Amino acid sequence: AVVSTQSTGALIDLHRVNMLSEDGKLVDIYIPRRCSVSNRLIGAKDHASIQMRLVDVDPTTGRMTNEVKAYNISGTIRSMGESDEAINRLAMQDGMLMPSFFDRQ
């Protein structure tokens, strides 16, 4: 089915595009992520990238609090073998990991 939008009058094939708002405007819901280490955009085809979410834990009860930190790591950083150190550094900067963590053997 081909439909004409109300605002522009452009013809849209509904079999190929099914992301229309109530007004008949095209809506794109893809939001690219940025690597937390290199600050570069993570492409849609970077299947080696990860998103890690760390939650803060209350030390008295052992339950998680509402504080959540998300870290996006690109496939390039992971392929260089830098992701473990980068996640530790980012978590320490955000106060999610104690500096004395590295002193333990």
Side-chain angles (χ1 to χ4, degrees):
V2 176
V3 176
S4 173
T5 61
Q6 296 173 357
S7 60
T8 62
L11 296 177
I12 298 173
D13 185 7
L14 289 181
H15 294 291
R16 292 186 0 193
V17 177
N18 55 2
M19 291 187 287
L20 294 176
S21 67
E22 294 174 354
D23 300 333
K25 296 180 182 177
L26 290 176
V27 178
D28 190 12
I29 59 172
Y30 174 71
I31 300 172
R33 299 176 293 162
R34 285 201 173 266
C35 178
S36 300
V37 179
S38 64
N39 205 27
R40 292 186 177 186
L41 283 177
I42 298 175
K45 297 293 182 179
D46 187 359
H47 298 295
S49 64
I50 61 167
Q51 180 177 21
M52 180 179 285
R53 296 169 55 112
L54 298 179
V55 296
D56 194 22
V57 177
D58 186 9
T60 57
T61 63
R63 294 184 176 209
M64 66 178 235
T65 62
N66 290 334
E67 185 178 353
V68 179
K69 298 288 183 179
Y71 302 113
N72 298 311
I73 308 294
S74 68
T76 307
I77 300 295
R78 292 188 67 215
S79 68
M80 291 189 300
E82 298 290 327
S83 59
D84 291 346
E85 188 273 328
I87 291 170
N88 288 340
R89 183 173 41 83
L90 291 169
M92 201 164 23
Q93 286 175 356
D94 290 336
M96 301 292 280
L97 189 64
M98 295 172 44
S100 62
F101 175 78
F102 296 108
D103 296 337
R104 299 179 193 168
Q105 292 292 336

